[in-house]
Amino acid sequence: MQETSFYIKAYGCQMNVYDSKNIIEIMECRGFVRTLDPKAADILVFYTCNIRENAARKVFSAIGMLKSSKTKVIAIGGCVAQAEKDEIFKKSSLIDIVFGPHVYHKLPDYIGQILNGEQSKILDIGLEKFNKFEKAQRKNDVLFSEFVTIQEGCDNFCSYCVVPYTRGREYSRAAKDIISDIRYLISNGAKEITLLGQNVNSYDGDAAYINIGTKGNTWKLDRLLYEISGIDGLKRLRYTTSHPKDITVDLMTAHSEIPILVPFAHIPIQSGSDRILKLMNRGHTVAEYLDKLKMFRTICPHMQFSSDFIVGFPTETDEDFEDTVKVVNDVGYVVSYAFKYSRRKDTPASQMDGQISEHEKEGRLRMLQDSLSRHQIHRNNSLIGQVHSVLFDKCGKKENQYIGKNGYMQSVVVECDSNPIGEFRNVLIESSGINSVSGKILQK
Ligand code: 5AD
Ligand code: SF4
């Protein structure tokens, strides 16, 4: 029998990359064969992001470009699917399957139904919680640095954000399932694990699912980190993303006590203006945020941070924007991400008066990015002479050039004769650029 091939393209955040990897595993277990050439594929799967408008727009233009005479089924999954529902069929008559981020484990069945002619269009945006994780068989190549979802969804309802609607309300995976996934990954070659979630520090493992550990019934992020750090063979541990209001002293203490936990956290503030933070429904002030970072650095002196920023939120004035730049200057982030506010359907902010013009947003974005770049250059320069532990995971463009990441998620480039890929090496930083630093591997 001829094999049925599929091509998958994922857009957006790390959670989407992780989900699409699970989809690949589920599809391959069911006999579908992955191809990296969309024109040669029987099935095209697009796993989408809806967080900003251009992320959603990209998908529809890609369908037209990647489709070929061989294409038999087109499936759209993820957050755009969840948000747009059957409207997607109206946007493109080429689409056969629309599936939300909670039901990707059912994709092979749905594809079968379309191929057999049992159904002509399928829509499933159900909110099942744990089934998809159980269906991922994890038989693919394991990377040296892997992601594991511990928590999904968000209850914070920031006024600009679609996530609480597309990913649904917060739920946490059972600690024992997370630990068993990590053990599997480690025994198959992974050395670094990043715990993933829209809001990892609201992790709340359900005692009913847990049969390990003796410290009581509640499993918050700090307890999970302690438990995971004891897994043999795990060399480095990270997590992302955090909400400032849920950062606890226990979590800060975990950073100071767990040697393999990186001294780094992504803690977005979004805006440096209290008035805008209130309109954003962020649930904290600038001073509360800065106090938490200060306390973090007191408990764990090497701690560094990154953040997300949104510019051009409705009613944002030049003064509000300057307050944001001030936070950037005060904190000195290792790296940060700045976005233009994007008006998302059905979110409270999309209905607010005082929407800012694209032109204004673009100007502010450029100014903020300049500021962030200046800090990044300054910070990268300050690393010269330091020794960092680097996990190498890819080759560079030049011969004998290798690239890895240090504990702060910065790219470190070296040139050397023996291939260090898959290994941690101590690197003396000798020079710096805007997006990476370079150095030499020190002998053990
Ligand atoms: N417009 C612009 N940026 C947004 N983000 C979330 N929603 C929007 C939006 N409507 C950004 C936030 C968040 C990151 C993942 O995406 O900064 O932290
Ligand atoms: Fe969106 Fe706010 Fe939740 Fe982050 S905390 S996912 S920005 S609603």
Side-chain angles (χ1 to χ4, degrees):
M1 209 182 69
Q2 228 208 320
E3 22 185 61
T4 308
S5 59
F6 73 100
Y7 167 86
I8 183 163
K9 188 164 171 60
Y11 299 81
C13 63
Q14 284 162 335
M15 177 90 74
N16 269 17
V17 174
Y18 172 86
D19 282 355
S20 65
K21 210 171 166 222
N22 282 349
I23 295 172
I24 293 167
E25 282 152 10
I26 289 166
M27 293 284 286
E28 290 185 339
C29 283
R30 292 285 294 273
F32 295 96
V33 178
R34 186 180 179 203
T35 168
L36 299 178
D37 177 7
K39 301 280 180 191
D42 299 299
I43 298 155
L44 297 181
V45 182
F46 296 92
Y47 202 70
T48 60
C49 169
N50 200 29
I51 206 140
R52 285 171 291 278
E53 193 188 359
N54 45 4
R57 206 181 310 121
K58 274 188 207 154
V59 182
F60 290 100
S61 60
I63 294 175
M65 270 160 34
L66 302 182
K67 187 185 170 308
S68 74
S69 57
K70 207 162 179 292
T71 312
K72 296 192 186 88
V73 180
I74 298 181
I76 298 247
C79 293
V80 172
Q82 194 75 26
E84 301 269 331
K85 310 180 180 70
D86 52 353
E87 286 292 307
I88 292 197
F89 294 125
K90 292 186 200 148
K91 285 197 173 156
S92 168
S93 59
L94 299 170
I95 295 164
D96 305 291
I97 302 169
V98 173
F99 64 104
H102 307 280
V103 294
Y104 59 64
H105 55 291
K106 296 183 182 167
L107 185 60
D109 290 340
Y110 293 151
I111 290 171
Q113 289 165 19
I114 299 283
L115 288 173
N116 296 338
E118 282 168 46
Q119 304 270 358
S120 60
K121 301 275 173 196
I122 295 176
L123 169 73
D124 186 350
I125 47 166
L127 289 175
E128 295 172 29
K129 288 188 173 160
F130 299 105
N131 292 342
K132 62 178 183 186
F133 293 111
E134 278 150 31
K135 286 283 179 342
Q137 302 288 318
R138 298 216 148 268
K139 75 177 184 57
N140 271 334
D141 290 347
V142 170
L143 304 175
F144 298 114
S145 179
E146 280 284 350
F147 295 94
V148 173
T149 295
I150 63 165
Q151 176 281 334
E152 220 181 299
C154 184
D155 293 348
N156 289 320
F157 290 92
C158 299
S159 62
Y160 50 82
C161 185
V162 288
V163 167
Y165 311 99
T166 55
R167 289 275 171 172
R169 307 308 294 268
E170 282 174 10
Y171 69 92
S172 298
R173 292 182 67 206
K176 73 174 170 54
D177 293 343
I178 295 166
I179 287 168
S180 110
D181 276 5
I182 296 176
R183 286 211 174 102
Y184 172 86
L185 292 168
I186 302 292
S187 61
N188 285 278
K191 296 189 171 172
E192 172 181 84
I193 297 290
T194 304
L195 307 179
L196 273 188
Q198 264 88 31
N199 195 7
V200 282
N201 46 5
S202 71
Y203 178 79
D204 193 7
D206 183 340
Y209 289 93
I210 290 161
N211 57 13
I212 50 174
T214 53
K215 295 179 205 157
N217 283 335
T218 52
W219 278 70
K220 301 293 182 197
L221 180 62
D222 54 293
R223 183 170 175 193
L224 186 69
L225 291 168
Y226 281 108
E227 200 69 40
I228 292 172
S229 69
I231 297 176
D232 249 6
L234 178 60
K235 299 280 189 321
R236 194 154 72 183
L237 183 57
R238 314 174 178 280
Y239 59 84
T240 193
T241 288
S242 307
H243 192 292
K245 73 177 172 40
D246 297 324
I247 302 273
T248 60
V249 172
D250 286 343
L251 181 63
M252 300 177 192
T253 309
H255 272 271
S256 71
E257 292 183 351
I258 301 176
I260 64 165
L261 182 60
V262 294
F264 174 67
H266 182 62
I267 311 180
I269 185 171
Q270 314 292 358
S271 168
S273 150
D274 281 339
R275 192 182 67 81
I276 295 292
L277 286 181
K278 195 151 194 274
L279 286 175
M280 286 178 162
N281 191 32
R282 288 290 292 173
H284 61 83
T285 62
V286 175
E288 283 161 354
Y289 173 90
L290 294 175
D291 278 352
K292 282 220 168 153
L293 299 200
K294 203 167 149 201
M295 195 190 300
F296 223 141
R297 279 184 170 144
T298 309
I299 293 177
C300 190
H302 298 299
M303 203 65 198
Q304 297 287 350
F305 306 99
S306 63
S307 177
D308 295 336
F309 296 94
I310 296 178
V311 299
F313 187 82
T315 77
E316 186 187 66
T317 61
D318 286 342
E319 289 72 37
D320 294 320
F321 174 70
E322 277 158 25
D323 287 341
T324 300
V325 177
K326 189 169 176 309
V327 168
V328 170
N329 293 335
D330 286 354
V331 175
Y333 295 99
V334 175
V335 50
S336 279
Y337 308 91
F339 309 106
K340 280 185 294 177
Y341 166 69
S342 172
R343 201 171 178 174
R344 308 311 291 132
K345 204 170 79 182
D346 299 333
T347 56
S350 69
Q351 308 302 319
M352 288 178 186
D353 291 337
Q355 300 284 330
I356 307 288
S357 72
E358 272 310 296
H359 178 74
E360 190 72 36
K361 286 190 229 174
E362 268 156 28
R364 289 184 190 166
L365 183 67
R366 265 196 308 274
M367 279 191 269
L368 187 60
Q369 279 172 336
D370 282 351
S371 224
L372 291 169
S373 303
R374 270 199 307 278
H375 277 281
Q376 211 161 308
I377 291 169
H378 175 74
R379 162 138 183 105
N380 287 353
N381 264 331
S382 73
L383 300 186
I384 295 174
Q386 294 183 6
V387 175
H388 286 213
S389 172
V390 177
L391 173 58
F392 287 93
D393 60 354
K394 59 181 180 205
C395 293
K397 286 195 183 120
K398 294 188 198 154
E399 207 181 331
N400 289 341
Q401 194 180 54
Y402 301 96
I403 305 176
K405 290 263 182 347
N406 65 8
Y408 301 112
M409 283 306 279
Q410 291 169 301
S411 288
V412 180
V413 183
V414 299
E415 280 177 35
C416 62
D417 296 335
S418 67
N419 183 340
I421 290 185
E423 303 295 335
F424 280 89
R425 292 275 189 268
N426 283 333
V427 175
L428 173 67
I429 310 295
E430 295 177 315
S431 64
S432 74
I434 173 156
N435 291 319
S436 64
V437 293
S438 305
K440 68 167 181 232
I441 291 179
L442 298 178
Q443 297 312 315
K444 272 187 257 175

Coordinates of all heavy atoms in Angstrom, one line a residue, residues 243-313:
H243 N 4.0 34.8 35.3 CA 3.2 36.0 35.6 C 3.8 36.7 36.8 O 3.9 36.0 37.9 CB 1.7 35.8 35.7 CG 0.9 37.0 35.7 ND1 0.9 38.0 36.7 CD2 0.1 37.5 34.7 CE1 0.1 39.0 36.3 NE2 -0.4 38.7 35.2
P244 N 4.1 38.0 36.8 CA 4.7 38.6 38.0 C 3.9 38.4 39.3 O 4.5 38.2 40.4 CB 4.7 40.1 37.7 CG 4.5 40.2 36.2 CD 3.9 38.9 35.7
K245 N 2.6 38.4 39.2 CA 1.8 38.3 40.5 C 2.0 36.9 41.1 O 1.7 36.8 42.3 CB 0.4 38.7 40.3 CG -0.5 37.7 39.6 CD -1.9 38.2 39.5 CE -2.8 37.3 38.6 NZ -2.5 35.8 38.7
D246 N 2.4 35.9 40.4 CA 2.4 34.6 41.0 C 3.9 34.1 41.3 O 4.1 33.0 41.7 CB 1.9 33.5 39.9 CG 0.4 33.8 39.7 OD1 -0.3 34.2 40.6 OD2 0.0 33.6 38.5
I247 N 4.8 35.1 41.3 CA 6.2 34.7 41.7 C 6.2 34.7 43.2 O 5.9 35.8 43.8 CB 7.2 35.8 41.1 CG1 7.1 35.9 39.6 CG2 8.6 35.5 41.6 CD1 7.9 34.9 38.8
T248 N 6.6 33.6 43.8 CA 6.5 33.5 45.2 C 8.0 33.5 45.8 O 8.9 33.2 45.1 CB 5.9 32.2 45.7 OG1 6.6 31.1 45.1 CG2 4.4 32.1 45.2
V249 N 8.1 33.7 47.1 CA 9.4 33.6 47.8 C 9.9 32.2 47.7 O 11.1 31.9 47.5 CB 9.3 34.1 49.2 CG1 10.6 33.9 50.0 CG2 9.0 35.6 49.3
D250 N 9.0 31.2 47.8 CA 9.4 29.8 47.7 C 10.0 29.5 46.3 O 11.0 28.8 46.3 CB 8.1 28.9 47.8 CG 7.7 28.8 49.2 OD1 8.4 29.2 50.1 OD2 6.5 28.4 49.4
L251 N 9.5 30.2 45.3 CA 10.1 30.0 44.0 C 11.5 30.6 43.9 O 12.5 30.0 43.4 CB 9.2 30.6 42.9 CG 9.7 30.4 41.4 CD1 9.8 28.9 41.1 CD2 8.8 31.1 40.5
M252 N 11.6 31.8 44.5 CA 12.9 32.5 44.5 C 13.9 31.6 45.3 O 15.1 31.4 44.9 CB 12.8 33.8 45.2 CG 11.9 34.8 44.5 SD 11.7 36.3 45.4 CE 10.3 37.1 44.7
T253 N 13.5 31.0 46.4 CA 14.4 30.2 47.2 C 14.8 28.9 46.4 O 16.0 28.5 46.5 CB 13.6 29.8 48.5 OG1 13.1 30.9 49.1 CG2 14.6 29.1 49.5
A254 N 13.8 28.4 45.6 CA 14.2 27.2 44.8 C 15.3 27.6 43.9 O 16.3 26.8 43.7 CB 13.0 26.7 44.0
H255 N 15.3 28.8 43.3 CA 16.4 29.2 42.5 C 17.8 29.2 43.2 O 18.8 28.9 42.6 CB 16.1 30.6 41.9 CG 15.3 30.5 40.6 ND1 15.9 30.4 39.3 CD2 14.0 30.5 40.4 CE1 15.0 30.4 38.4 NE2 13.8 30.4 39.0
S256 N 17.7 29.6 44.5 CA 19.0 29.7 45.2 C 19.5 28.3 45.6 O 20.6 28.2 46.0 CB 18.9 30.7 46.3 OG 18.1 30.1 47.3
E257 N 18.5 27.4 45.7 CA 18.9 26.0 46.3 C 19.1 24.9 45.2 O 19.7 23.9 45.5 CB 17.8 25.6 47.2 CG 17.8 26.5 48.5 CD 16.7 26.0 49.5 OE1 15.9 25.1 49.2 OE2 16.8 26.5 50.6
I258 N 18.6 25.1 44.0 CA 18.7 24.0 43.0 C 19.8 24.4 42.0 O 19.6 25.3 41.2 CB 17.4 23.8 42.3 CG1 16.3 23.5 43.3 CG2 17.5 22.8 41.2 CD1 14.9 23.4 42.7
P259 N 20.9 23.7 42.1 CA 22.1 24.1 41.3 C 21.8 24.0 39.8 O 22.3 24.9 39.0 CB 23.2 23.1 41.7 CG 22.8 22.6 43.0 CD 21.3 22.6 43.0
I260 N 21.0 23.1 39.3 CA 20.8 22.9 37.9 C 19.7 23.9 37.4 O 19.4 23.9 36.2 CB 20.5 21.5 37.4 CG1 19.1 21.0 38.0 CG2 21.6 20.5 37.8 CD1 18.6 19.7 37.4
L261 N 19.0 24.6 38.3 CA 18.0 25.5 37.8 C 18.7 26.8 37.4 O 19.4 27.4 38.2 CB 17.0 25.8 38.9 CG 15.8 26.7 38.7 CD1 14.9 26.2 37.5 CD2 14.9 26.9 39.9
V262 N 18.4 27.3 36.2 CA 19.2 28.5 35.7 C 18.8 29.7 36.5 O 17.6 29.9 36.9 CB 18.9 28.7 34.2 CG1 19.5 27.6 33.3 CG2 17.4 28.9 33.9
P263 N 19.7 30.6 36.6 CA 19.4 31.9 37.4 C 18.8 32.9 36.4 O 19.3 34.0 36.2 CB 20.7 32.4 37.9 CG 21.7 31.8 36.9 CD 21.1 30.6 36.3
F264 N 17.7 32.5 35.8 CA 17.1 33.3 34.7 C 15.6 33.0 34.7 O 15.2 31.9 34.8 CB 17.7 32.9 33.4 CG 17.1 33.6 32.2 CD1 17.2 34.9 32.0 CD2 16.4 32.8 31.3 CE1 16.7 35.5 30.9 CE2 15.9 33.4 30.1 CZ 16.0 34.8 30.0
A265 N 14.8 34.1 34.5 CA 13.3 33.9 34.4 C 12.7 34.9 33.4 O 13.2 36.1 33.4 CB 12.6 34.0 35.7
H266 N 11.8 34.5 32.6 CA 11.1 35.4 31.7 C 9.8 35.9 32.5 O 8.9 35.1 32.7 CB 10.7 34.6 30.5 CG 10.0 35.5 29.4 ND1 10.6 36.5 28.8 CD2 8.7 35.4 28.9 CE1 9.7 37.1 28.0 NE2 8.6 36.4 28.0
I267 N 9.9 37.2 32.9 CA 8.7 37.7 33.7 C 8.2 39.0 33.0 O 8.7 40.1 33.3 CB 9.2 38.0 35.1 CG1 10.0 36.8 35.7 CG2 8.0 38.4 36.0 CD1 10.4 37.0 37.1
P268 N 7.3 38.8 32.1 CA 6.8 40.0 31.3 C 6.1 41.0 32.2 O 5.3 40.7 33.1 CB 5.8 39.4 30.3 CG 6.1 37.9 30.3 CD 6.6 37.6 31.6
I269 N 6.5 42.3 31.9 CA 5.7 43.4 32.6 C 4.7 44.1 31.6 O 3.7 44.6 32.0 CB 6.7 44.4 33.2 CG1 5.9 45.5 34.0 CG2 7.6 45.1 32.2 CD1 6.7 46.4 34.8
Q270 N 5.0 44.1 30.3 CA 4.1 44.6 29.3 C 4.2 46.1 29.1 O 4.3 46.6 28.0 CB 2.7 44.1 29.4 CG 2.5 42.6 29.7 CD 2.9 41.7 28.5 OE1 3.3 42.1 27.5 NE2 2.8 40.4 28.8
S271 N 4.1 46.8 30.3 CA 4.1 48.3 30.2 C 4.7 48.8 31.5 O 4.6 48.2 32.5 CB 2.7 48.8 30.0 OG 2.7 50.2 30.2
G272 N 5.3 50.0 31.4 CA 5.9 50.6 32.6 C 5.0 51.7 33.2 O 5.4 52.4 34.1
S273 N 3.7 51.8 32.7 CA 2.8 52.8 33.2 C 1.7 52.1 34.0 O 1.0 51.2 33.6 CB 2.2 53.5 32.0 OG 0.9 54.0 32.4
D274 N 1.5 52.5 35.3 CA 0.5 51.9 36.2 C -0.9 52.1 35.5 O -1.7 51.2 35.7 CB 0.5 52.6 37.5 CG 1.6 52.0 38.4 OD1 2.1 50.9 38.1 OD2 2.0 52.7 39.4
R275 N -1.1 53.3 34.9 CA -2.5 53.5 34.3 C -2.7 52.4 33.2 O -3.8 51.8 33.1 CB -2.5 54.9 33.7 CG -3.9 55.4 33.3 CD -3.8 56.7 32.7 NE -3.1 56.7 31.4 CZ -3.7 56.4 30.3 NH1 -5.0 56.0 30.2 NH2 -3.0 56.4 29.1
I276 N -1.7 52.2 32.4 CA -1.9 51.2 31.3 C -2.0 49.8 31.9 O -2.8 49.0 31.4 CB -0.7 51.3 30.2 CG1 -0.8 52.7 29.6 CG2 -0.8 50.2 29.2 CD1 -2.0 52.9 28.6
L277 N -1.2 49.5 32.9 CA -1.2 48.1 33.5 C -2.6 47.8 34.0 O -3.1 46.7 33.9 CB -0.2 48.0 34.6 CG 1.3 47.8 34.2 CD1 2.1 47.7 35.5 CD2 1.5 46.7 33.3
K278 N -3.3 48.9 34.6 CA -4.6 48.7 35.1 C -5.6 48.4 33.9 O -6.4 47.5 34.0 CB -5.0 50.0 35.8 CG -6.2 49.9 36.7 CD -6.1 50.8 37.9 CE -7.1 50.5 38.9 NZ -8.4 51.0 38.8
L279 N -5.4 49.2 32.9 CA -6.3 49.0 31.7 C -6.1 47.6 31.1 O -7.0 47.0 30.5 CB -6.1 50.1 30.6 CG -6.6 51.5 30.9 CD1 -6.2 52.4 29.8 CD2 -8.2 51.4 31.0
M280 N -4.8 47.2 31.2 CA -4.5 45.8 30.7 C -5.0 44.7 31.6 O -4.9 43.5 31.3 CB -3.0 45.7 30.6 CG -2.3 46.4 29.4 SD -0.5 46.2 29.5 CE -0.1 46.7 27.8
N281 N -5.5 45.1 32.8 CA -5.9 44.1 33.8 C -4.8 43.1 34.2 O -5.0 41.9 34.3 CB -7.1 43.3 33.2 CG -7.8 42.5 34.3 OD1 -7.8 42.9 35.5 ND2 -8.3 41.3 34.0
R282 N -3.6 43.7 34.4 CA -2.5 42.9 34.7 C -2.4 42.4 36.2 O -1.7 41.5 36.6 CB -1.1 43.6 34.4 CG -0.9 43.7 32.9 CD -0.6 42.4 32.3 NE 0.7 41.9 32.7 CZ 1.2 40.7 32.4 NH1 0.5 39.8 31.7 NH2 2.4 40.3 32.8
G283 N -3.1 43.2 37.1 CA -3.2 42.7 38.5 C -1.9 43.1 39.3 O -1.7 42.5 40.4
H284 N -1.1 44.0 38.8 CA 0.0 44.5 39.6 C 0.5 45.9 39.2 O 0.1 46.3 38.0 CB 1.2 43.5 39.5 CG 1.7 43.4 38.1 ND1 2.6 44.2 37.6 CD2 1.5 42.5 37.2 CE1 2.9 43.9 36.3 NE2 2.2 42.8 36.0
T285 N 1.2 46.5 40.0 CA 1.7 47.9 39.6 C 3.2 47.7 39.2 O 3.8 46.6 39.4 CB 1.7 48.9 40.8 OG1 2.5 48.3 41.8 CG2 0.3 49.0 41.3
V286 N 3.7 48.8 38.7 CA 5.2 48.8 38.3 C 6.0 48.5 39.5 O 7.0 47.7 39.5 CB 5.6 50.1 37.6 CG1 7.0 50.1 37.3 CG2 4.7 50.3 36.3
A287 N 5.7 49.3 40.6 CA 6.5 49.2 41.8 C 6.5 47.7 42.4 O 7.5 47.2 42.8 CB 6.0 50.1 42.9
E288 N 5.3 47.1 42.3 CA 5.2 45.7 42.8 C 6.1 44.8 42.0 O 6.8 43.9 42.5 CB 3.7 45.2 42.8 CG 2.9 45.8 44.0 CD 1.4 45.7 43.7 OE1 1.0 45.3 42.6 OE2 0.7 46.1 44.7
Y289 N 6.0 45.0 40.7 CA 6.9 44.2 39.8 C 8.3 44.4 40.1 O 9.1 43.4 40.3 CB 6.6 44.6 38.3 CG 7.4 44.0 37.3 CD1 7.1 42.8 36.7 CD2 8.6 44.6 36.9 CE1 7.9 42.2 35.7 CE2 9.4 44.0 35.9 CZ 9.0 42.8 35.3 OH 9.8 42.2 34.3
L290 N 8.8 45.7 40.2 CA 10.2 45.9 40.4 C 10.6 45.4 41.8 O 11.8 44.9 41.9 CB 10.5 47.4 40.3 CG 10.3 48.0 38.9 CD1 10.5 49.5 38.9 CD2 11.2 47.4 37.9
D291 N 9.7 45.5 42.8 CA 10.1 44.9 44.1 C 10.3 43.4 44.1 O 11.2 42.9 44.7 CB 8.9 45.2 45.1 CG 8.9 46.6 45.7 OD1 9.9 47.3 45.4 OD2 8.0 47.0 46.3
K292 N 9.5 42.7 43.3 CA 9.7 41.3 43.1 C 11.0 40.9 42.5 O 11.8 40.1 43.0 CB 8.6 40.7 42.3 CG 7.3 40.5 43.1 CD 6.6 39.2 42.8 CE 5.5 39.1 43.9 NZ 4.4 38.3 43.5
L293 N 11.4 41.7 41.5 CA 12.7 41.4 40.8 C 13.8 41.7 41.8 O 14.8 41.0 41.9 CB 12.9 42.3 39.6 CG 11.9 42.1 38.4 CD1 12.5 42.6 37.1 CD2 11.5 40.7 38.2
K294 N 13.6 42.8 42.6 CA 14.7 43.1 43.6 C 14.8 42.0 44.6 O 16.0 41.6 44.9 CB 14.3 44.4 44.3 CG 15.4 45.2 44.8 CD 14.9 46.6 45.2 CE 15.7 47.1 46.4 NZ 15.1 48.2 47.1
M295 N 13.7 41.5 45.1 CA 13.7 40.5 46.1 C 14.4 39.2 45.5 O 15.2 38.5 46.2 CB 12.3 40.2 46.6 CG 12.3 39.4 47.9 SD 10.7 38.7 48.3 CE 9.7 40.2 48.5
F296 N 14.0 38.9 44.3 CA 14.6 37.8 43.6 C 16.1 37.9 43.6 O 16.8 37.0 43.9 CB 14.1 37.8 42.1 CG 13.7 36.4 41.6 CD1 12.5 36.2 40.8 CD2 14.4 35.3 41.9 CE1 12.2 35.0 40.3 CE2 14.1 34.0 41.5 CZ 12.9 33.9 40.7
R297 N 16.6 39.1 43.2 CA 18.1 39.3 43.2 C 18.7 39.3 44.5 O 19.9 38.9 44.6 CB 18.4 40.6 42.4 CG 18.3 40.4 40.9 CD 18.7 41.6 40.1 NE 18.9 41.3 38.7 CZ 18.6 42.2 37.7 NH1 18.1 43.4 38.0 NH2 18.7 41.8 36.5
T298 N 18.0 39.6 45.6 CA 18.5 39.5 46.9 C 18.7 38.1 47.3 O 19.7 37.7 47.9 CB 17.6 40.2 47.9 OG1 17.3 41.5 47.4 CG2 18.2 40.3 49.3
I299 N 17.6 37.3 47.0 CA 17.7 35.8 47.4 C 18.6 35.1 46.5 O 19.3 34.1 46.9 CB 16.3 35.3 47.3 CG1 15.4 35.9 48.4 CG2 16.3 33.7 47.5 CD1 14.0 35.5 48.5
C300 N 18.7 35.5 45.2 CA 19.5 34.7 44.2 C 20.3 35.8 43.4 O 19.8 36.3 42.4 CB 18.5 34.0 43.3 SG 19.3 32.8 42.3
P301 N 21.5 36.2 43.9 CA 22.2 37.3 43.3 C 22.5 37.3 41.8 O 22.7 38.3 41.2 CB 23.5 37.3 44.1 CG 23.2 36.6 45.4 CD 22.2 35.6 45.0
H302 N 22.6 36.1 41.2 CA 23.0 36.0 39.8 C 21.8 36.1 38.9 O 21.9 36.0 37.7 CB 23.8 34.8 39.5 CG 25.0 34.7 40.2 ND1 26.0 35.6 40.1 CD2 25.5 33.8 41.1 CE1 27.0 35.4 40.8 NE2 26.7 34.3 41.5
M303 N 20.6 36.3 39.5 CA 19.4 36.2 38.7 C 19.3 37.3 37.6 O 19.6 38.4 37.9 CB 18.2 36.4 39.7 CG 16.9 35.8 39.3 SD 17.0 34.0 39.1 CE 15.5 33.9 38.1
Q304 N 18.9 36.9 36.4 CA 18.7 37.8 35.3 C 17.3 37.6 34.8 O 16.7 36.5 35.0 CB 19.7 37.6 34.2 CG 21.1 37.9 34.6 CD 21.4 39.3 34.8 OE1 20.6 40.2 34.4 NE2 22.6 39.6 35.4
F305 N 16.8 38.6 34.1 CA 15.4 38.5 33.6 C 15.2 38.9 32.2 O 16.0 39.6 31.6 CB 14.5 39.5 34.5 CG 14.6 39.2 35.9 CD1 15.5 40.0 36.7 CD2 14.0 38.1 36.5 CE1 15.6 39.7 38.1 CE2 14.1 37.9 37.9 CZ 14.9 38.7 38.7
S306 N 14.1 38.4 31.6 CA 13.7 38.9 30.3 C 12.2 39.3 30.4 O 11.6 38.9 31.4 CB 13.9 37.9 29.2 OG 13.1 36.8 29.4
S307 N 11.7 40.1 29.4 CA 10.3 40.5 29.5 C 9.7 40.7 28.1 O 10.4 40.7 27.1 CB 10.3 41.9 30.2 OG 9.0 42.4 30.2
D308 N 8.4 40.7 28.1 CA 7.7 41.1 26.9 C 7.1 42.5 27.1 O 6.8 42.9 28.3 CB 6.5 40.2 26.6 CG 6.9 38.8 26.3 OD1 8.0 38.6 25.8 OD2 6.0 37.9 26.5
F309 N 7.0 43.3 26.0 CA 6.4 44.6 26.1 C 5.4 44.8 25.0 O 5.7 44.4 23.9 CB 7.5 45.7 26.0 CG 8.5 45.7 27.1 CD1 9.7 45.0 27.0 CD2 8.2 46.4 28.3 CE1 10.6 45.0 28.0 CE2 9.2 46.4 29.3 CZ 10.3 45.7 29.2
I310 N 4.3 45.5 25.3 CA 3.4 45.9 24.3 C 3.4 47.4 24.2 O 3.2 48.1 25.2 CB 2.0 45.4 24.6 CG1 1.9 43.8 24.7 CG2 0.9 45.9 23.6 CD1 0.6 43.3 25.1
V311 N 3.6 47.9 22.9 CA 3.5 49.4 22.8 C 2.3 49.7 22.0 O 1.8 48.9 21.2 CB 4.8 49.9 22.0 CG1 6.0 49.7 22.8 CG2 4.9 49.4 20.6
G312 N 1.7 50.9 22.3 CA 0.5 51.4 21.5 C -0.7 50.7 22.0 O -1.7 50.6 21.3
F313 N -0.8 50.3 23.3 CA -2.1 49.9 23.9 C -3.0 51.1 23.9 O -2.6 52.2 24.0 CB -1.8 49.4 25.3 CG -3.0 48.8 25.9 CD1 -3.3 47.4 25.7 CD2 -3.9 49.5 26.8 CE1 -4.4 46.9 26.3 CE2 -5.0 48.9 27.3 CZ -5.3 47.6 27.1

